């Protein structure tokens, strides 16, 4: 393995460890020491890649958003959409998919960084452009999932952010009220809103 390849491998291990620590310990309790231990790496090797906690967590933010941008549409979902018999059934499948994305570890790791960014200017500066790119990618992904027929409906553009922001807000409540997301009462309401707006 070349020196460059070893450096990239070390960087990836450190960033994966940082995400793990954010998920397990939260932003406030994540330290360079805990990340080093999680990565199984020497102090010197980690500091060579990231001289400070701030640089490391800014890089972790980009790492999280890049992973979200590159994530493919799950295979089972693709199969379910291919099998739907009409737009109403398609809406139900897409709503399920969107809601499931808020149960992913990347959402909670990103949430830790969003909250920390309120009082960490360097982190906020790093997150803002990444969040804008992620927002564009999410909108494109939603358009892809709903399909051209539903996207062309007059109320699609206002419904799209309503669904997304409502789901994100509901998902945040799971931080202190752990329950089965598959039985979330809002699922029925999101489906009703989408069907009423897009099929009426």
């Amino acid at each position: 393995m070349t020196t460059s390849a070893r450096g990239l491998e070390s960087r990836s291990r450190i960033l994966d460890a940082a995400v793990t620590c954010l998920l397990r310990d939260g932003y406030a309790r994540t330290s360079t020491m805990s990340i080093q231990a999680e990565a199984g790496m020497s102090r010197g090797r980690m500091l060579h890649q990231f001289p400070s906690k701030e640089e490391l967590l800014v890089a972790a933010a980009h790492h999280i958003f890049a992973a979200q941008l590159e994530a493919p549409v799950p295979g089972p979902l693709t199969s379910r959409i291919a099998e739907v018999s009409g737009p109403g059934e398609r809406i139900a499948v897409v709503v399920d998919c969107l809601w499931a994305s808020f149960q992913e570890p990347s959402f909670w790791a990103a949430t830790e960084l969003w909250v920390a960014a309120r009082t960490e200017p360097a982190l906020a500066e790093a997150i803002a452009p990444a969040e804008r790119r992620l927002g564009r990618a999410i909108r494109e992904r939603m358009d892809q999932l709903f399909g051209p027929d539903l996207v062309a409906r007059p109320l699609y553009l206002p419904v799209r952010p309503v669904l997304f922001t409502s789901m994100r807000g509901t998902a945040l409540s799971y931080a202190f009220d752990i329950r089965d997301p598959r039985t979330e009462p809002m699922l029925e309401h999101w489906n009703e809103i989408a069907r009423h707006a897009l099929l009426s």
Side-chain angles (χ1 to χ4, degrees), residues 55-170:
E55 285 186 55
L56 172 52
L57 291 180
V58 165
H62 286 292
H63 186 63
I64 291 166
F65 287 121
Q68 290 178 313
L69 286 170
E70 294 166 6
V73 176
L77 173 70
T78 303
S79 300
R80 284 180 64 193
I81 288 181
E83 294 167 0
V84 296
S85 58
E89 189 178 347
R90 187 182 188 97
I91 287 170
V93 173
V94 174
V95 166
D96 283 346
C97 168
L98 293 174
W99 177 234
S101 72
F102 288 99
Q103 320 309 318
E104 295 292 330
S106 59
F107 168 71
W108 290 107
T111 298
E112 289 290 334
L113 294 171
W114 289 333
V115 174
R118 189 179 69 84
T119 54
E120 298 279 354
L123 190 58
E125 186 177 352
I127 286 177
E131 174 69 12
R132 285 193 289 271
R133 290 195 302 273
L134 180 63
R136 287 193 295 270
I138 288 170
R139 290 190 291 273
E140 291 171 2
R141 177 69 58 84
M142 290 179 74
D143 294 350
Q144 174 192 354
L145 294 175
F146 276 108
D149 178 54
L150 292 171
V151 169
R153 305 296 171 96
L155 290 179
Y156 175 76
L157 287 180
V159 163
R160 184 177 63 185
V162 166
L163 290 175
F164 182 80
T165 56
S166 178
M167 287 183 183
R168 180 161 61 183
T170 301

Side-chain angles (χ1 to χ4, degrees), residues 33-54:
M33 293 294 288
S34 65
I35 295 170
Q36 175 194 336
E38 182 67 33
M41 193 170 291
S42 71
R43 182 76 171 167
R45 193 173 171 191
M46 194 174 83
L47 290 175
H48 177 72
Q49 292 287 339
F50 301 103
S52 69
K53 177 183 176 180
E54 289 72 23

